[in-house]
């Protein structure tokens, strides 16, 4: 049964979780405060009531414990979806994720698999205190064995969540928390579309410059594209969706056509996703490039206090500034 | 499959777990065999001492009320109340020597008050204008730590440093030093807290693990963290452990004083579980009505730690209406200073986000800071145009 509903980003994830809980009784959710409270962002609201305490588990306050036991459950045939309450709190579990989860298939030569999904609300702009606004995706993308994705729209949130849970690989599912309350029509039900975990999506077509973004910065890039259109510049916006692997083909197809590329992410630029994109674009589009790849990103400083976060985060103005640089080159 | 669905906390069961209590909820002194040594400690306290504790508790509660109101008015990004936990915090802090060091979590406003950390500075973090807010070495109080449990290890390492400095067991009360670290019931599940207990035990480190079991870790009752009373955790690591009535300021003071004496004299770590209650929401972003019932809140409202000390003072002729009225006036003035002080805090200059990332020049930071400065200068006033 399929239907279309207007949902917030958060609710679209809830529905993705619900659909997976309904279709596969091995799927279970684990995390801090996800049961009765429904999670601090209410993403799991109502799911414990509907699926019971064995499938929607309020865990002890221990992220390494959550991930470590999720690995054990996965080895036993379950499909745990773990919620990390905030980006900055994934690190107690970093050891389990990088030394165990990422390598289990490899070191067993494919004899076992650990289909664990790790949901991480990430990114800034919500006026939070320390450790609640970070973007650590590159740290995980740098680790072989982990898939890393980040949806930018409610529809993708719904589809990518179902795909992540169905994936035989561990998936880091980065949820742009600043977008949780944004709304859009979501087609519910129906099969999971192919390729949502490893293909980019053209969010807006254009000819003069390619803006590459993912998660929270797709909205920023689209706003910048609007502003550019008003000035007569046609910007294409590529929403990566997947950070590991990166859909280099889609990025190159666009940049080879426009000749200019601006990458936008909240994580620091130094050794970040934008650096990888720049390298790949220079490989694939060398002769088509009109300007060096520009990056608009966070700085090489710890995420600042809330009062300064809007100076730290990539803004529409900073994207426009980077586009100006690319056009003027 | 059957899962044992322990719902809320079992108030009745909690009440029968033995705990150190020196003052009953009605304000009367408890006389039992268990508390003999501890009673001796509090017998030394004068009416002036008790009034000082009461004052600290009243001002801590006022701090809470003012900060909560400031958050509602948009002056703070967030606030985590200590309401209900004033006795545990003020009592234990009164047992500290000046040279002792404190590693708090993020709710220890009463401890910071006693240590003399400026009230406005204490709200900088919650205002979102500073990640810390005070100089840790000025009052021997480390910054708040928001990553649950991390600081228990820092406290233990700091205590290991005190050992190496030869400042344990000197016999000189003015020199012997120790560390107290504060954390919650939920934190006891973290690996870091358990590892801290391991390190403290095998090193015999002068550190007191002061766990405020306020019975909730956001929406999860303590039954989601432990099948045994929390203090029993410490015993398993070979650390002397005690459960104290966290709403009894005298018991908290005495138990902390005993634990600190052990640490100072070279007797090693102690684990204290102060059994108390988080009377408010987890933070201003939280809505407890989603996960706990009114009856439980009411049960604990009747065990208010501030009221208990008031009852004791009244019962023992330590109460005086003029003194009480003066204290109220002091609290009002304190509240006003706090409000004005917080409202006067601006936002730091944007460029300061690049300060103190490293202690020496770092090319990456320097380049980005330069870019940022030039960008800010070039775009000043331009936003309007675009
Ligand atoms: C490592 C980590 N995980 C999750 C969180 C989110 N979080 C903040 S407070 C809290 C509950 C803490 O409960 P407890 O230790 O009992 O302390 P209390 O807040 O009750 O004082 C949680 C889960 C965090 N701050 N750090
Ligand atoms: Mg607690």
């Amino acid at each position: 049964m399929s239907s279309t509903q207007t949902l917030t980003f958060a609710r679209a994830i809830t529905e993705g979780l619900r659909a997976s809980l309904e279709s596969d009784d091995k799927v279970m959710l684990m995390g801090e405060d996800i049961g009765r409270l429904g999670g601090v962002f209410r993403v799991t609201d109502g799911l414990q009531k509907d699926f019971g305490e064995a499938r929607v588990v309020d865990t002890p306050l221990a992220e390494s414990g959550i991930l470590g036991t999720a690995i054990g459950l996965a080895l036993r045939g379950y499909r745990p979806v773990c919620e990390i309450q905030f980006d900055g709190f994934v690190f107690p579990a970093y050891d389990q994720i990088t030394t165990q989860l990422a390598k289990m298939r490899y070191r067993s030569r494919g004899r076992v698999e650990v289909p664990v999904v790790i949901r991480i609300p990430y990114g800034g702009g919500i006026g939070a205190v320390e450790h609640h606004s970070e973007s650590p995706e590159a740290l995980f993308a740098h680790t072989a064995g982990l898939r890393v994705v980040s949806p930018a729209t409610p529809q993708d949130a719904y589809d990518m969540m179902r795909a992540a849970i169905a994936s035989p690989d561990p998936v880091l599912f980065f949820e742009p928390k600043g977008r949780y309350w944004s709304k859009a029509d979501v087609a519910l039900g129906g099969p999971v579309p192919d390729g949502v975990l490893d293909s980019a999506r053209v969010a807006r077509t254009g000819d003069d410059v390619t803006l590459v973004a993912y998660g929270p910065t797709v909205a920023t890039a689209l706003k910048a594209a609007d502003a550019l259109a008003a000035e007569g510049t046609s910007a294409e916006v590529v929403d990566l969706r997947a950070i590991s692997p990166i859909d280099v083909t889609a990025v190159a197809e666009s940049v080879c056509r426009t000749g200019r590329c601006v990458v936008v992410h909240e994580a620091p630029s130094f050794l970040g996703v934008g650096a990888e994109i720049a390298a790949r674009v220079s490989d694939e589009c060398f002769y088509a490039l009109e300007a060096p790849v520009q990056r608009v990103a966070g700085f090489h400083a710890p995420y600042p206090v809330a009062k300064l976060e809007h100076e730290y985060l990539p803004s529409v103005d900073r994207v426009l500034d980077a586009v100006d640089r690319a056009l003027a080159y | 499959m059957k899962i044992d669905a322990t719902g809320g906390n079992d108030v009745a069961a909690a009440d029968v777990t033995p705990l150190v209590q020196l003052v009953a909820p009605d304000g009367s002194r408890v006389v039992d065999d268990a508390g003999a040594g501890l009673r001796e400690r509090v017998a030394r306290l004068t009416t002036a001492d008790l009034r000082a504790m009461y004052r600290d508790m009243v001002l801590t509660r006022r701090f809470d009320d003012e900060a909560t109101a400031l958050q509602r008015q948009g002056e703070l990004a967030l606030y985590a109340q200590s309401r209900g936990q004033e006795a545990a915090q003020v009592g234990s802090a009164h047992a500290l020597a000046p040279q002792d060091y404190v590693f708090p979590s993020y709710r220890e406003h009463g401890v910071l008050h006693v240590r003399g950390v400026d009230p406005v500075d204490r709200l900088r973090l919650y205002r979102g204008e500073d990640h810390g807010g005070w100089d840790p070495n000025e009052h021997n109080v480390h910054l708040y730590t928001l990553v649950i449990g991390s600081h228990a290890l820092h406290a233990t390492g700091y205590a290991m440093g005190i050992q190496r400095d030869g400042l344990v067991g000197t016999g000189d009360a003015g020199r012997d030093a120790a560390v107290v670290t504060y954390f919650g019931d939920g934190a006891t599940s973290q690996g870091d807290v358990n590892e801290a207990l391991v390190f403290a035990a095998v090193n015999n480190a002068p550190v007191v693990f002061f766990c405020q079991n306020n019975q909730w870790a956001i929406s999860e009752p303590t039954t989601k963290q432990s099948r045994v009373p929390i203090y029993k955790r410490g015993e398993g690591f070979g650390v002397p452990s005690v459960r104290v009535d966290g709403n009894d300021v005298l018991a908290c003071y005495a138990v902390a004083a005993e634990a600190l004496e052990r640490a100072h004299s070279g007797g090693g770590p102690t684990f204290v579980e102060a059994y108390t209650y988080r009377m408010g929401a987890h933070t201003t972003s939280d809505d407890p009505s989603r996960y706990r019932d009114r009856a439980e809140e009411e049960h604990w409202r009747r065990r208010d730690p501030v009221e208990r000390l008031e009852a004791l003072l009244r019962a023992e002729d330590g109460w005086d209406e003029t003194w009480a009225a003066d204290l109220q006036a002091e609290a009002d003035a304190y509240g006003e200073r706090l409000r004005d002080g917080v409202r006067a805090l601006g936002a730091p200059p944007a460029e300061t986000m690049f300060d103190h990332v490293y202690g020496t020049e770092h090319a990456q930071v320097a380049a980005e800071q330069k870019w940022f400065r030039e960008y800010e200068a070039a775009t000043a006033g331009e936003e309007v145009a675009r």
Side-chain angles (χ1 to χ4, degrees):
Chain A
M1 259 237 331
S2 43
S3 66
T4 297
Q5 276 181 36
T6 308
L7 297 180
T8 62
F9 197 107
R11 260 305 290 281
I13 300 171
T14 317
E15 292 311 312
L17 295 169
R18 178 186 297 283
S20 303
L21 283 159
E22 273 165 0
S23 66
D24 181 351
D25 62 12
K26 295 293 188 192
V27 173
M28 54 182 290
L29 314 185
M30 310 167 62
E32 297 156 8
D33 306 290
I34 69 165
R36 204 178 318 176
L37 185 64
V40 295
F41 290 107
R42 310 292 185 260
V43 169
T44 54
D45 194 18
L47 296 178
Q48 187 179 67
K49 198 166 130 279
D50 293 347
F51 296 95
E53 294 198 22
R55 297 190 67 198
V56 180
V57 185
D58 267 335
T59 66
L61 205 180
E63 289 77 9
S64 182
I66 294 170
L67 258 297
T69 56
I71 291 170
L73 281 155
L75 291 170
R76 183 69 193 179
Y78 287 85
R79 301 186 98 80
V81 181
C82 303
E83 174 176 306
I84 298 293
Q85 205 162 76
F86 284 90
D87 35 63
F89 304 139
V90 68
F91 297 104
Y94 193 64
D95 171 47
Q96 287 288 345
I97 296 170
T98 55
T99 72
Q100 304 302 315
L101 186 65
K103 300 182 197 324
M104 204 62 89
R105 173 187 297 277
Y106 188 72
R107 53 195 285 268
S108 70
R109 296 191 151 265
R111 292 185 182 94
V112 297
E113 59 183 35
V114 278
V116 175
V117 175
I118 307 171
R119 294 183 39 237
I120 307 182
Y122 83 120
I126 64 160
V129 292
E130 202 181 8
H131 314 294
H132 292 72
S133 306
E134 297 173 6
S135 298
E137 63 275 13
L139 296 177
F140 297 97
H142 201 67
T143 302
L146 304 174
R147 290 181 180 274
V148 182
V149 303
S150 182
T153 66
Q155 184 69 57
D156 271 348
Y158 173 70
D159 289 331
M160 288 167 69
M161 178 53 73
R162 292 186 300 156
I165 296 172
S167 169
D169 293 320
V171 179
L172 275 285
F173 196 92
F174 281 94
E175 302 173 3
K177 68 170 90 77
R179 305 289 304 157
Y180 269 154
W181 302 277
S182 65
K183 282 187 179 169
D185 282 349
V186 179
L188 298 169
V192 182
D194 280 343
V196 286
L197 292 186
D198 47 21
S199 67
R201 172 186 74 99
V202 176
R204 174 187 176 120
T205 55
D207 306 317
D208 301 330
V209 58
T210 302
L211 307 180
V212 178
Y214 56 88
T217 55
V218 172
T220 316
L222 287 169
K223 277 194 208 122
D226 281 344
L228 287 165
E231 295 174 358
T233 300
S234 158
E236 179 146 308
V237 176
V238 175
D239 169 7
L240 285 183
R241 298 200 290 201
I243 299 154
S244 176
I246 290 173
D247 185 354
V248 177
T249 312
V251 174
E253 191 284 316
S254 176
V255 178
C256 288
R257 206 161 23 77
T258 63
R260 296 177 183 88
C261 177
V262 175
V263 191
V264 192
H265 54 62
E266 292 189 9
S269 59
F270 187 59
L271 295 171
V273 172
E276 181 65 23
I277 300 272
R280 304 300 283 271
V281 163
S282 79
D283 275 349
E284 305 290 328
C285 310
F286 189 68
Y287 293 106
L289 281 177
E290 303 284 349
V293 175
Q294 304 292 317
R295 287 177 287 169
V296 182
F299 299 113
H300 193 65
Y303 196 88
V305 292
K307 292 262 183 221
L308 301 184
E309 68 179 333
H310 292 290
E311 323 271 351
Y312 176 93
L313 291 169
S315 58
V316 171
D317 283 316
R318 260 166 61 195
V319 175
L320 297 178
D321 178 68
V323 170
D324 284 350
R325 269 181 278 139
L327 289 171
Y329 205 82
Chain B
M1 190 186 88
K2 209 172 126 30
I3 282 262
D4 183 1
T6 20
N9 285 348
D10 189 341
V11 171
D15 280 352
V16 300
T17 305
L19 90 184
V20 173
Q21 189 182 66
L22 300 180
V23 180
D26 67 3
S28 63
R29 301 252 182 181
V30 176
V31 183
D32 59 12
D33 297 340
L38 297 168
R39 269 204 309 284
E40 231 162 80
R41 281 179 197 279
V42 300
R44 290 179 224 142
L45 299 174
T46 62
T47 299
D49 292 331
L50 298 187
R51 283 186 177 182
M53 287 182 182
Y54 184 78
R55 172 178 173 273
D56 288 339
M57 289 168 72
V58 166
L59 293 181
T60 298
R61 185 157 294 186
R62 177 58 72 103
F63 179 83
D64 248 9
D65 292 343
E66 297 290 350
T68 305
L70 285 165
Q71 195 280 335
R72 299 273 179 254
Q73 294 157 16
E75 295 290 342
L76 302 180
L78 182 81
Y79 181 67
Q81 288 193 347
S82 58
R83 193 182 189 83
Q85 301 176 215
E86 294 91 344
Q89 298 185 3
V90 168
S92 59
H94 268 256
L96 289 162
Q99 69 273 20
D100 292 336
Y101 212 92
V102 171
F103 283 83
S105 57
Y106 44 80
R107 204 190 283 291
E108 278 70 44
H109 315 308
V111 178
L112 272 64
H113 168 82
V114 174
R115 291 302 270 186
V117 181
D118 181 79
V120 175
D121 287 347
R122 282 189 253 143
L123 289 176
R124 288 177 189 272
L125 180 155
Y126 285 109
R127 187 171 165 87
E129 70 114 48
D130 201 309
H131 285 324
W134 60 89
D135 176 358
N137 293 321
E138 192 183 337
H139 301 283
N140 283 0
V141 179
H142 189 67
L143 302 177
Y144 277 163
T145 297
L146 303 187
V147 181
I148 300 293
S150 297
H151 59 293
L153 279 164
H154 311 156
T156 303
Y158 197 95
M160 289 161 61
I162 290 175
Q163 281 180 302
R164 278 157 182 74
D165 290 345
L167 291 174
V168 173
T170 66
D172 178 350
R175 292 183 69 220
D176 282 344
V179 180
V180 181
T181 179
Y182 292 86
F183 51 88
D185 43 297
T188 63
S189 293
Q190 284 287 5
D192 279 4
V193 171
N194 289 272
E195 291 174 30
L197 285 160
V198 169
F199 276 73
V202 301
N203 287 292
N204 206 38
V207 53
V208 178
F209 294 91
F210 198 94
C211 173
Q212 289 167 85
N213 176 358
N214 63 10
Q215 305 188 48
W216 291 94
I218 310 187
S219 73
E220 297 196 18
T222 311
T223 47
K224 296 282 180 201
Q225 315 291 345
S226 183
R227 278 301 174 114
V228 297
I230 297 278
Y231 77 98
K232 296 227 171 185
R233 290 275 186 81
E235 287 174 1
F237 291 96
V239 175
S241 303
V242 57
R243 174 183 266 197
V244 60
D245 183 338
N247 287 14
D248 173 355
V249 69
L250 294 192
C252 289
Y253 164 78
V255 161
E258 188 175 75
L260 280 164
E261 192 172 288
R262 177 179 295 135
H264 286 151
S265 64
T270 304
F271 186 97
V272 179
E273 175 192 1
Y275 191 76
T276 177
Y277 192 73
R278 193 195 78 207
M279 288 174 79
H282 171 68
T283 65
T284 44
S285 305
D286 178 40
D287 171 13
S289 71
R290 289 183 70 104
Y291 54 79
R292 70 184 190 188
D293 57 41
R294 283 247 168 236
E296 180 186 296
E297 292 178 358
E298 182 52 29
H299 173 89
W300 283 94
R301 210 197 51 71
R302 282 184 268 109
R303 279 160 182 71
D304 187 310
V306 184
E307 287 173 13
R308 190 181 313 191
L309 184 53
E310 176 178 338
L312 175 79
L313 284 166
R314 285 186 187 279
E316 300 186 351
D317 297 329
W319 193 263
D320 170 275
E321 293 306 335
T322 320
W323 165 77
D326 287 351
L327 177 56
Q328 276 318 310
E330 182 187 0
D332 291 343
Y334 173 88
E336 197 177 321
R337 268 202 317 281
L338 185 63
R339 290 194 296 274
D340 292 348
V342 167
R343 292 200 181 108
L345 293 172
E351 225 191 283
T352 58
M353 76 171 103
F354 296 100
D355 293 346
H356 307 297
V357 182
Y358 297 94
T360 53
E361 166 95 2
H362 185 284
Q364 184 69 29
V365 177
E368 293 187 13
Q369 184 167 21
K370 180 169 176 289
W371 180 87
F372 183 78
R373 192 180 299 140
E374 288 166 6
Y375 173 78
E376 291 280 282
T379 56
E382 201 186 84
E383 265 92 314
V384 202
R386 212 136 194 179

